Amino acid sequence: METKGENTGRPTDPARFFTSKTGSNEQIPGCCSIDFTVAVVLPAGGSGERTGLSTPKQFCTFLSRPLISYTIQAFERVAWIENIVIVVAKDSLDLMVNIVQQFSHKKVKVVPGGSTRHRSIFNGLQAFQGRGEGSALKKPKVVIIHDAVRPFVEEDFLLKIAIAAKEQGASGAIRPLVSTVIATTSEGYLDHSLERAKYRASEMPQGFLYDIIYQAYVQCSEADFEFGTECLHLVLQYCGTNARLVEGPPTLWKVTYKRDLFAAESIIKETLSQTACVVTGVCEESTRLACALQKTLRAQDMHVDVISTSLRSSGTFISKDWNFIHVTVKSTCLTDLGELVKTFKESDHAVLYPVVLILVHLDVLEQSSTSERMAALGGIRDLATEAKRINILLYGILLNHIKDAEQWEEAVEHLSQITTALIKDRNPALTGQLLWV
C-alpha cells in the first residue's frame, strides 16, 4: 500500500518544540543543503512482549492514535525525506494500511516483514528494487533505518545522520551508557566490569548509502539473518564500511515497557499544552476577560494569542494551535460554538491530535438564577458528544461577572487554573461537563 503527495493543510506539528522555541518559524540550519535523495525504512514487526500487553507496542494507542503513527509523522514532516517504507508482520498489514489512511499519512508504503528483524529490514530495502508487492519506489542515495517505537527523533539529528551516511557510507546514533556493564561467571558471580567511559550504547536512527546496505544484506549469512541485530556490523563485515558514530539527544529513547507508553503520552500532552488561542467577541466584558486570561496563562509559561470573532470566520487562526478558549457573554453561545466545531471538522484539524475547546461563558445578568444560567448552556453535553466523534474535547465553564476588582482577579486566577488543568490533562471523561467558577 502506497500513498503519495504532500499534506500542506496540516497544522503545526508539536514535535517542533523539541527543536525550536514555541511559536518559532525558523528553519533548522542546513536543511536546504540536502542535495541527495533520502528514504526511510521503519521495521515494525515486533510482538512487544516486554510491555506485557496483548497488542504489539507499535499499535498501542494514546491520545486516540497508535504509537507508530507518531513515528511516521516525525519523518513525514521532514521535507527532504521522499519515501517512508513501513515493514510489518503479515497479519498486521490491513491494520497498518488502515492507520495510514485514517491519519492521512503521505509518502508511505507498507510491506510485509520477515521472521526476524534483519529479514524485515531487507524486505523494506527491496521495496526500492521492485521486489515484493507493488511497484518499485525510486532508489534513494541514502536510506535511514529507524525503530518504529522511537517517536521523538528530531529533524536536525536526522540531518546529521543523513549527511554522515552520504560522506562515510554508514552512520549511527550513539548515547552514553547509563549503567555500568558487567560480565558474570556461569555460576552467577561477578567476573569483571567494563570501563563505562570507553563504551557507548548503539541507538537508532542509522543511515547508509543505499547500495552499501543493500549489498551487505545480499551477502550476509543465514546466521546473520536469524540472530543478528546490528546493521552497522553487517556493512563493516561485508562491505568494509566503518560507520561514523554521532552522539544523539536524549529524545532517541525507545518505547520498551508499558510505563514508556505513559511517558510518551505525557511528552505529547506537554508539547500540546504550550500554546492556546482565546477567541472573544467585541463586547467590553468578554474582551476584558480574554485579556486577563491571556495574562494569567502567560504567567504559567503558555503562549497565548487573542483573536476576535471577526477573524474566526476565516478559519485561518486554527492553523497552529490545539487549544482554544471561546469567551462569550451571548445567550446564543452554543450556536457560535457549534460553528467553531464545524470549522474544525471541515479543516480536518483534529485528525492527528485531540483539540481542546473550552467555552467560557461570562454571565453578566445579575438577576438571573442558577437554573436559568445552567439551562442556557444545557445543550453543551450533546454538542460535546458530537465533537468527541471528530477528536474535539469540549468543556464548559460558567463564570459570574464580578465588579469588585480583588474578587474579579481571584476569579480569573481560578479560571486560569481550571483551564490549564483541562488543557494539560485532556481527559475525555470530563467533556460535556459545565464547571462553575
Side-chain angles (χ1 to χ4, degrees):
M1 182 271 180
E2 184 179 352
T3 62
K4 290 188 177 293
E6 297 295 330
N7 192 353
T8 57
R10 287 275 180 89
T12 307
D13 185 357
R16 66 191 173 91
F17 294 121
F18 293 116
T19 54
S20 62
K21 293 181 179 180
T22 303
S24 172
N25 292 319
E26 294 179 4
Q27 296 296 317
I28 295 172
C31 285
C32 296
S33 65
I34 289 286
D35 58 356
F36 52 91
T37 55
V38 181
V40 175
V41 172
L42 294 179
S47 60
E49 293 179 358
R50 284 178 289 184
T51 61
L53 301 172
S54 58
T55 302
K57 56 193 173 185
Q58 61 269 28
F59 300 122
C60 290
T61 62
F62 53 89
L63 295 180
S64 304
R65 279 175 68 192
L67 174 62
I68 192 170
S69 176
Y70 292 96
T71 308
I72 294 172
Q73 188 189 3
F75 289 94
E76 191 177 48
R77 64 189 172 89
V78 180
W80 43 268
I81 290 178
E82 293 193 355
N83 292 292
I84 304 168
V85 176
I86 315 296
V87 191
V88 297
K90 292 181 180 179
D91 57 2
S92 297
L93 279 172
D94 290 342
L95 172 61
M96 189 68 244
V97 169
N98 289 336
I99 290 171
V100 170
Q101 294 174 342
Q102 180 181 354
F103 298 102
S104 302
H105 289 304
K106 307 299 179 183
K107 303 186 290 186
V108 172
K109 183 171 185 176
V110 181
V111 301
S115 57
T116 64
R117 176 179 173 81
H118 274 324
R119 295 185 194 280
S120 291
I121 292 174
F122 191 32
N123 282 6
L125 293 171
Q126 289 178 319
F128 302 97
Q129 296 284 337
R131 302 182 184 182
E133 299 179 5
S135 58
L137 300 174
K138 178 183 176 182
K139 187 175 78 171
K141 182 71 175 178
V142 168
V143 61
I144 294 175
I145 298 174
H146 189 67
D147 291 325
V149 290
R150 297 181 193 255
F152 301 120
V153 61
E154 303 172 2
E155 182 175 352
D156 58 345
F157 187 71
L158 289 172
L159 181 66
K160 293 177 182 179
I161 289 292
I163 291 176
K166 167 71 161 45
E167 296 174 348
Q168 182 66 23
S171 63
I174 57 172
R175 287 285 299 159
L177 290 176
V178 176
S179 302
T180 299
V181 179
I182 62 174
T184 62
T185 66
S186 58
E187 294 81 15
Y189 296 98
L190 175 66
D191 188 312
H192 65 278
S193 62
L194 301 180
E195 188 177 343
R196 187 171 59 185
K198 292 183 177 180
Y199 298 89
R200 293 291 183 270
S202 178
E203 306 284 359
M204 288 289 181
Q206 294 176 350
F208 305 88
L209 287 174
Y210 176 83
D211 289 338
I212 287 179
I213 185 64
Y214 186 79
Q215 285 305 314
Y217 272 105
V218 168
Q219 299 176 63
C220 73
S221 67
E222 283 298 311
D224 292 319
F225 272 123
E226 196 66 28
F227 305 108
T229 58
E230 182 56 79
C231 299
L232 299 180
H233 178 72
L234 290 183
V235 297
L236 177 60
Q237 180 177 354
Y238 293 105
C239 301
T241 301
N242 200 350
R244 182 181 300 168
L245 303 179
V246 185
E247 187 156 326
T251 51
L252 293 180
W253 59 278
K254 180 181 180 181
V255 173
T256 303
Y257 302 103
K258 185 177 180 179
R259 64 176 179 267
D260 297 327
L261 289 167
F262 296 113
E265 180 179 27
S266 179
I267 290 173
I268 294 294
K269 283 183 175 181
E270 180 63 27
T271 55
L272 286 172
S273 66
Q274 293 183 12
T275 65
C277 178
V278 180
V279 184
T280 181
V282 295
C283 72
E284 180 180 353
E285 292 86 353
S286 61
T287 301
R288 177 188 171 203
L289 175 56
C291 292
L293 189 56
Q294 180 187 42
K295 181 180 178 181
T296 56
L297 290 175
R298 282 182 173 177
Q300 301 178 52
D301 296 325
M302 185 184 296
H303 180 86
V304 182
D305 293 321
V306 176
I307 70 164
S308 68
T309 51
S310 59
L311 295 176
R312 191 195 68 187
S313 59
S314 66
T316 57
F317 71 95
I318 68 174
S319 62
K320 65 176 182 177
D321 289 311
W322 275 267
N323 308 299
F324 299 87
I325 305 160
H326 184 46
V327 178
T328 180
V329 298
K330 296 170 61 177
S331 59
T332 57
C333 58
L334 288 183
T335 301
D336 292 342
L337 204 62
E339 290 298 317
L340 197 53
V341 170
K342 182 179 178 182
T343 300
F344 289 131
K345 181 178 180 180
E346 292 174 348
S347 65
D348 285 335
H349 185 71
V351 168
L352 296 180
Y353 299 97
V355 168
V356 169
L357 177 56
I358 302 173
L359 169 66
V360 177
H361 181 64
L362 179 61
D363 189 356
V364 295
L365 300 176
E366 298 180 1
Q367 303 302 319
S368 59
S369 65
T370 301
S371 58
E372 290 173 333
R373 297 166 186 166
M374 301 297 284
L377 302 174
I380 193 171
R381 186 181 297 273
D382 293 337
L383 183 57
T385 300
E386 177 186 343
K388 191 187 291 188
R389 296 192 187 102
I390 54 174
N391 211 22
I392 296 173
L393 306 177
L394 174 58
Y395 310 97
I397 301 176
L398 180 61
L399 176 66
N400 287 328
H401 184 264
I402 302 173
K403 293 183 178 180
D404 180 81
E406 185 175 345
Q407 291 181 351
W408 171 256
E409 187 174 332
E410 291 178 357
V412 172
E413 180 62 33
H414 191 194
L415 172 64
S416 175
Q417 293 172 358
I418 294 175
T419 299
T420 301
L422 291 173
I423 288 174
K424 288 187 175 182
D425 291 346
R426 286 181 140 71
N427 189 341
L430 293 178
T431 58
Q433 300 299 313
L434 187 59
L435 308 176
W436 191 11
V437 177

